[in-house]
């Protein structure tokens, strides 16, 4: 199964993208990877990653020997000369930069059934706009959503949907998000009747703003999902729910506030240890494993990318600052999403539900 | 200056409320405290806190000897038989429980110029509703807001306004919040031209939802404030801004998501240390001070309470789980807010600004 990887998206492109994809290939024998990006730089990065100076590229197909030769013949490169920056207007960039890695990659995803998924750590706006315009949304879903997985304190995962694709939502959009996320967690995480919480400013039913009050009433009356009511932002990572539904603005606030606090505490811990003299450093040495585990547990980058859920094929956005390990996870996740046919399952479930295309 | 303290609000009432107020009295010689709550229980709690069995209460005035006698004659008790629970409908509770500590306290605040402020750790909804209905809003401010102070990573403070009083806002309300918070930080924290950020889903000007885009345009054109643009939730505690303006729903999400993550990391750290055997415990011993400092730095309860800003007198809400030290900070903060006449300064500034009372 071939996954397209945007070699030129993200802060650490192309080297970490290539290293990550290579690592995914070595871990998962079902996988093939098609890189889109500046051909020469991408090949240089592959050469460095595989450590074989005899590497060959014929018609885009890359072969090599050496320790990582299990991935030989499973990578192809398609040239895309342009890069869309994170500071560009997404709509304009997607319309004008036809040779950008995002636009080329999404077109290849759309047009070739062999390509099952697209992974990028590039401009979120351009990926969303491009996927919306090129890959197109599933009939019946008016608003595709960005759905990252977060680690929970109980050791599982929770999916946050939407976390940024739709800054303004109507109540029925939140119902779409719930139905799509329900299929995601059922199919991908194997959870029966995933518990769905509606993000609000209080757990009581009457709490909320106009949007969530209306959404609450709709969700309560949506059959086939396990809606458990409102949840507060402090309980997103509690593990008490499997899915948190919200508008993209609130989801973005929740995600980034959590990230800011996690980074902040880790920084204070590091500073405190560095300034704590020998005693602090000895302490750090003793609890090194604890700290590493926490960083690993709470680092949502390690949980793979965020699926842009609601378009016709699998599109996964990895965090802009992703390193190779996060990219590897995102690539394998994207393949699994395609293999387990999450999108087909969403479409089936829509058969029984009537949506207003608002 | 007399501050009214709700002896029966919060999870740890009345004992921690009384202990906290006593500690404030011992720290601040300008302060007097008037407790509202069930008289007998409040007196018992005072007796325990001051540790003098010879304590006397005549016409509500409490006198005693012993180590804490510096506070003798500076506490009064007013009886209020009812308590409003956090699970009650705020509007109904305020309307029907005329003898509740919140309603009695707010009426005493409203009617007696000697009472300069009201502090409660009770039901947020009831305090807001009560303050709105009894103390009344400042003319020109249509929506009073809840404004807690958060610690920043640079060692300062940032005020978040609104963080829960108004779930649905119009753009002009966010301008009111900015103007009020500006006075707060100028007068209370001594910051010249405090930097005001608008909470959004991206720092670029064009990012946001309908509300924040409209508010952004208004804030840019509001004279006399230092609006620095949009900020993302991950930067709330960065120390790059002094004020974060947002609707109450988003503010609540940001605050509680941060709180959830901070508690989560601290729990993982504790669990990791407990399960890390001797090595983990030794490590914890060595970096005990570091951990205590972080907890102290990031614990927004220690930063005092949240002012309900925009009503005619000082009303401060302390966190429901506040212990004595947080209450002491909130009581002193409330007195300072009154002493420095933050409300008067807000009124003055409104003279030059035209608001739509939307």
């Amino acid at each position: 199964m071939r996954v397209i990887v945007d070699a030129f998206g993200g802060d650490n492109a192309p080297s970490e993208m290539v290293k990550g994809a290579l690592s995914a290939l070595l871990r998962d024998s079902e996988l093939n990877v098609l890189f889109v990006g500046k051909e020469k730089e991408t090949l240089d990065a592959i050469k460095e990653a595989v450590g074989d100076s005899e590497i060959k590229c014929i018609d885009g197909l890359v072969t090599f020997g050496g320790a990582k030769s299990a991935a030989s013949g499973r990578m192809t490169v398609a040239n895309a000369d342009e890069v869309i920056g994170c500071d560009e207007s997404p709509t304009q960039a997607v319309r004008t930069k036809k040779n950008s890695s995002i636009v080329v990659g999404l077109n290849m995803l759309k047009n070739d059934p062999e390509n099952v998924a697209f992974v990028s750590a590039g401009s979120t706006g351009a990926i969303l706009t491009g996927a919306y315009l090129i890959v197109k949304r599933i009939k019946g879903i008016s608003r595709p959503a960005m759905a990252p997985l977060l680690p929970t304190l109980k050791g599982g995962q929770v999916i946050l949907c939407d976390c940024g694709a739709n800054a303004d939502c109507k109540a029925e959009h939140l119902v779409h998000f719930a139905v799509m996320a329900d299929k995601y967690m059922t199919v991908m995480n194997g959870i029966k009747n995933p518990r769905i919480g509606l993000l609000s400013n209080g757990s009581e039913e009457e709490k909320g703003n106009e949007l969530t009050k209306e959404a609450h009433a709709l969700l309560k009356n949506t059959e086939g999902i396990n809606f458990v009511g409102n949840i507060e932002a402090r309980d997103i990572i509690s593990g008490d729910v499997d899915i948190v539904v919200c508008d993209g603005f609130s989801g973005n606030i929740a995600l980034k506030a959590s990230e800011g606090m996690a980074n902040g505490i880790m920084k204070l811990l590091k500073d405190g240890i560095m300034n704590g003299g020998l005693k602090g450093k000895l302490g750090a040495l003793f609890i090194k494993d604890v700290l590493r585990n926490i960083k690993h547990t709470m680092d949502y980058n390690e949980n793979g990318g965020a699926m842009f859920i609601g378009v016709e094929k699998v599109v996964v956005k990895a965090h802009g600052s992703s390193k190779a390990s996060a990219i590897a996870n995102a690539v394998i996740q994207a393949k699994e999403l395609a293999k387990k046919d999450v999108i087909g399952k969403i479409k089936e479930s829509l058969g029984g539900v009537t949506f207003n295309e608002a």
Side-chain angles (χ1 to χ4, degrees), chain A:
Chain A
M1 303 187 83
R2 194 161 63 209
V3 173
I4 304 174
V5 174
D6 176 5
F8 276 76
D11 307 339
N12 307 303
S15 71
E16 296 291 318
M17 311 309 292
V18 168
K19 270 190 231 163
L22 176 65
S23 155
L25 286 167
L26 296 173
R27 264 163 60 190
D28 186 338
S29 61
E30 292 181 328
L31 189 67
N32 288 305
V33 165
L34 163 56
F35 290 111
V36 282
K38 297 177 187 176
E39 198 167 9
K40 196 189 160 307
E41 282 95 324
T42 306
L43 279 169
D44 286 347
I46 296 174
K47 194 180 283 182
E48 201 195 313
V50 303
D52 179 9
S53 54
E54 304 290 303
I55 186 168
K56 283 191 192 97
C57 176
I58 299 168
D59 290 341
L61 186 71
V62 185
T63 52
F64 47 87
K68 288 164 183 167
S69 62
S72 175
R74 294 166 59 203
M75 291 192 235
T76 39
V77 180
N79 188 49
D81 273 334
E82 293 173 296
V83 175
I84 297 179
C86 283
D87 49 347
E88 296 184 62
S89 151
T91 312
Q92 208 188 327
V94 168
R95 293 231 157 98
T96 58
K97 288 191 162 173
K98 296 293 181 202
N99 279 321
S100 61
S101 54
I102 289 174
V103 174
V104 171
L106 288 171
N107 274 311
M108 294 180 94
L109 177 68
K110 164 81 176 167
N111 296 324
D112 187 346
E114 295 275 306
N115 299 326
V116 298
F118 175 77
V119 174
S120 175
S123 155
T124 307
I127 296 165
L128 296 184
T129 308
Y132 194 91
L133 294 176
I134 297 165
V135 184
K136 305 254 194 286
R137 60 193 164 87
I138 296 171
K139 195 170 169 334
I141 297 294
S142 49
R143 300 286 196 96
M146 192 64 112
L149 290 162
L150 309 183
T152 74
L153 295 174
K154 292 189 179 150
Q157 289 184 318
V158 59
I159 196 164
L160 190 60
C161 185
D162 176 24
C163 94
N166 309 284
D168 292 288
C169 288
K170 293 183 180 163
E172 55 262 40
H173 300 147
L174 272 61
V175 179
H176 296 195
F177 302 163
V179 170
M180 294 193 292
D182 179 76
K183 289 300 153 216
Y184 189 115
M185 292 309 270
T186 308
V187 174
M188 283 292 285
N189 287 38
I191 297 170
K192 264 195 183 171
N193 299 318
R195 296 155 300 174
I196 301 175
L198 174 66
L199 187 62
S200 190
N201 59 341
S203 55
E204 304 86 351
E205 179 165 349
E206 66 278 9
K207 280 289 175 74
N209 58 14
E210 283 170 19
L211 173 68
T212 63
K213 283 178 189 172
E214 201 184 327
H216 190 108
L218 288 180
L219 285 164
K220 251 174 79 170
N221 293 314
T222 302
E223 281 179 30
I225 60 168
N226 180 16
F227 177 56
V228 299
N230 290 344
I231 70 150
E232 292 194 278
R234 74 158 70 93
D235 293 323
I236 293 173
I237 59 167
S238 66
D240 293 341
V241 293
D242 306 298
I243 295 166
V244 174
V245 169
C246 53
D247 69 273
F249 187 87
S250 302
N252 184 284
I253 302 286
L255 190 68
K256 298 223 175 117
S258 305
E259 189 187 346
M261 182 54 84
N263 290 343
I265 291 184
M266 285 305 181
K267 187 184 173 301
L268 289 175
L269 208 49
K270 207 174 141 193
D271 292 353
I273 287 166
M274 294 312 286
N275 301 326
L278 186 61
K279 201 173 139 186
K281 288 186 194 77
L282 273 176
L285 200 66
F286 280 120
I287 63 163
K288 203 171 60 174
D289 296 343
V290 173
L291 293 177
R292 194 190 300 122
N293 275 344
I294 290 179
K295 202 166 152 32
H296 187 76
T297 308
M298 298 318 288
D299 188 350
Y300 64 79
N301 297 333
E302 292 297 322
N303 280 261
M307 182 176 186
F308 184 48
I309 196 165
V311 289
E312 281 282 355
K313 290 184 92 167
V314 174
V315 174
V316 169
K317 162 77 175 89
H319 201 279
S321 62
S322 293
K323 300 277 181 147
S325 66
I327 296 300
N329 290 342
V331 170
I332 292 173
Q333 173 196 19
K335 188 219 78 178
E336 287 291 314
L337 283 162
K339 186 179 175 190
K340 292 184 173 159
D341 192 23
V342 170
I343 292 171
K345 299 289 193 301
I346 290 173
K347 287 180 178 175
E348 276 170 29
S349 77
L350 294 183
V353 191
T354 313
F355 285 120
N356 299 320
E357 292 219 13

